[in-house]
Amino acid sequence: MSIFFHEQLYRTPEVMAKLKNFSVTVCGAGALGANLTESLARTGFGKLKVIDRDRIEERNLSTQPYYRSDIGAFKAKIIANSLYRALGTKIEARSQELTSANVAQLLGQPNVVIDTFDNSIGRQAVKDCCTNANIPCLHIGMASGYAEVIWNENYRVPSPANDDICDYPLARNLVTLAVAVASEVLINFVAGGEKQSLTVTLGDFAIKPFDSVEF
């Protein structure tokens, strides 16, 4: 029986075959990136790369899928090792800082890039590179009780004034909601080419279409 038995019953074998062969580069292995990478791997995505320069800290443990024994290790390496043990899925881990100088080399030429970085410099580099290379890119971000999942065409890089999400109040349930929404948005894109941009608010559990006119 396949590891993805239940998912296949829901998605159909045709969609599962697309997921297996669809390449995704995830930028960031923090609260959003690590949980999203795990969600995608457990859904059936078979060609994943994760990029993150950071090491695991104790404050990461409540919102990120790491253990106390992982503290001090590179996030990208640990999430890749963990998912290989769980599923046998080989994930390419790059424990490097992404910059405007190396972004094209690090991203490569995947079918989709997903940006979950917690800093505006990294986000801008990813946005610009994907725009220039014509690579579909999905940006996921959070602030307080709000999250957004927005395709590159409608995305604006936030101000660098408050650049580290780890210094903000952060609810695990918002992380979980944002990751679930982003996973489904990506699957819908793979299955049928649809690009949905959505916002999530934790206070009222509202998930709504993103309207760029409002911002």
Side-chain angles (χ1 to χ4, degrees), residues 1 6 14-15 28 37 74 85-86 100 108 110 115-116 124 127 167 169:
M1 182 179 294
H6 295 289
E14 292 75 19
V15 171
T37 300
F74 284 110
R85 291 196 304 272
S100 59
D115 161 37
T116 72
Q124 188 69 61
K127 177 177 172 60
D167 290 337

Side-chain angles (χ1 to χ4, degrees), residues 10 25 28-29 65 99 132 144 149 157 168 170-171 184 193 195 198-199:
Y10 180 73
T25 294
T99 68
N132 294 334
S144 189
V149 178
V157 176
Y168 296 166
L170 180 60
E184 200 64 21
K195 286 185 175 181
L198 302 168
T199 63

Side-chain angles (χ1 to χ4, degrees), residues 27-28 51 53 96-104 106-107 113 115-130 137 139 152 155-165 168:
C27 299
I51 302 167
R53 69 177 182 179
Q96 297 176 244
E97 180 178 7
L98 183 147
T99 68
S100 59
N102 67 11
V103 59
L106 281 180
L107 293 184
V113 169
D115 161 37
T116 72
F117 280 147
D118 59 9
N119 68 89
S120 58
I121 294 175
R123 286 188 181 275
Q124 188 69 61
V126 171
K127 177 177 172 60
D128 292 344
C129 182
C130 289
C137 179
H139 301 268
N152 210 32
Y155 181 70
R156 76 277 184 254
V157 176
S159 165
N162 298 304
D163 229 17
D164 187 353
I165 191 65
Y168 296 166

Side-chain angles (χ1 to χ4, degrees), residues 38-123:
E38 179 174 38
S39 180
L40 297 182
R42 292 183 183 275
T43 298
F45 282 85
K47 295 183 177 180
L48 297 169
K49 178 196 289 187
V50 60
I51 302 167
D52 195 298
R53 69 177 182 179
D54 289 341
R55 294 177 183 269
I56 298 161
E57 302 177 57
E58 186 174 28
R59 68 176 181 172
N60 301 145
L61 301 183
S62 66
T63 57
Q64 302 175 27
Y66 302 119
Y67 297 87
R68 293 191 65 85
S69 58
D70 298 327
I71 291 175
F74 284 110
K75 292 181 178 181
K77 181 178 179 180
I78 292 298
I79 194 67
N81 289 348
S82 176
L83 290 171
Y84 181 75
R85 291 196 304 272
L87 306 168
T89 300
K90 294 182 180 180
I91 296 173
E92 182 180 351
R94 302 297 295 269
S95 300
Q96 297 176 244
E97 180 178 7
L98 183 147
T99 68
S100 59
N102 67 11
V103 59
Q105 181 267 326
L106 281 180
L107 293 184
Q109 290 290 324
N111 294 122
V112 161
V113 169
I114 301 182
D115 161 37
T116 72
F117 280 147
D118 59 9
N119 68 89
S120 58
I121 294 175
R123 286 188 181 275

Side-chain angles (χ1 to χ4, degrees), residues 179-202:
V179 166
V181 169
S183 296
E184 200 64 21
V185 164
L186 182 59
I187 292 168
N188 288 340
F189 175 72
V190 177
E194 180 183 10
K195 286 185 175 181
Q196 299 168 289
S197 290
L198 302 168
T199 63
V200 180
T201 49
L202 183 60

